[in-house]
Amino acid sequence: MNEQTETPPAITIGADGVDVHRIEREILEAVAAKRARGEYDDAAVARAERNNILALKDDKEFMERYLACLRQIVPVDINDFEIVERRSRLAPLLKALKRTIWKLLKFYTYRLWSQQNQTNGVLLAAIEIMDRRHGAEVAALRARIEALERASAK
């Protein structure tokens, strides 16, 4: 989206003494500092970032965030989880039933999940390799273009 066709923000802040740009800058700096400390390297944040990733305008930034998100969400979680039952009278019976069903399903699907994790890992590795190769190729082509432009300018 170019600058001339960009839609205005949904909300605007305007009040005497409020420096919106300073506030925005402080928020962005705080987020960058937290991201650098690894505070946002969580699977839940990665899932939320999938929606925001489309808003990135820079190709390099897009790929870096996309690959970071993929690294976070690529493994299928095959661990046990707490079974919660809110129906008070039947809770113990239903929890026991659900645990039994979960064990049967886990036994049945564990191999599938393991294969999916392997496939996801291989696909992520392939994307990372292609990104590095294309990045190197683009850098080499840019260097070649610059050399040709310098040579033609002489």
Side-chain angles (χ1 to χ4, degrees):
M1 185 182 292
N2 70 33
E3 309 243 328
Q4 294 170 344
T5 61
E6 196 167 313
T7 58
I11 347 175
T12 56
I13 300 174
D16 293 336
V18 176
D19 183 354
V20 176
H21 297 293
R22 180 187 57 78
I23 293 170
E24 182 181 16
R25 189 174 53 253
E26 287 175 5
I27 291 170
L28 292 173
E29 288 170 359
V31 168
K34 287 181 179 184
R35 184 172 281 139
R37 287 193 304 266
E39 292 182 33
Y40 294 146
D41 289 340
D42 174 276
V45 174
R47 283 191 297 276
E49 280 296 315
R50 282 185 295 188
N51 296 326
N52 295 335
I53 206 157
L54 299 176
L56 296 175
K57 292 174 177 60
D58 178 74
D59 285 344
K60 182 174 174 24
E61 184 183 7
F62 171 82
M63 274 312 281
E64 287 172 5
R65 293 298 303 145
Y66 182 74
L67 289 172
C69 288
L70 279 178
R71 284 184 207 102
Q72 290 289 321
I73 63 171
V74 87
V76 175
D77 183 7
I78 60 175
N79 296 311
D80 287 333
F81 57 93
E82 181 183 358
I83 296 175
V84 178
E85 181 54 55
R86 290 182 174 78
R87 292 171 271 195
S88 60
R89 283 189 18 231
L90 300 174
L93 179 64
L94 290 173
K95 282 177 90 169
L97 177 64
K98 288 178 180 182
R99 277 192 202 107
T100 302
I101 291 170
W102 171 246
K103 287 178 184 175
L104 291 171
L105 287 173
K106 188 174 177 181
F107 171 76
Y108 181 72
T109 58
Y110 184 80
R111 184 168 181 222
L112 175 68
W113 286 336
S114 299
Q115 290 172 337
Q116 187 64 55
N117 279 338
Q118 290 173 340
T119 301
N120 291 354
V122 169
L123 289 172
L124 175 61
I127 291 170
E128 289 175 325
I129 290 168
M130 287 184 340
D131 180 53
R132 280 195 301 272
R133 283 184 184 169
H134 290 140
E137 184 178 355
V138 167
L141 289 171
R142 284 184 177 152
R144 184 175 173 196
I145 289 169
E146 287 175 14
L148 290 170
E149 287 175 344
R150 279 193 304 272
S152 68
K154 290 181 184 181

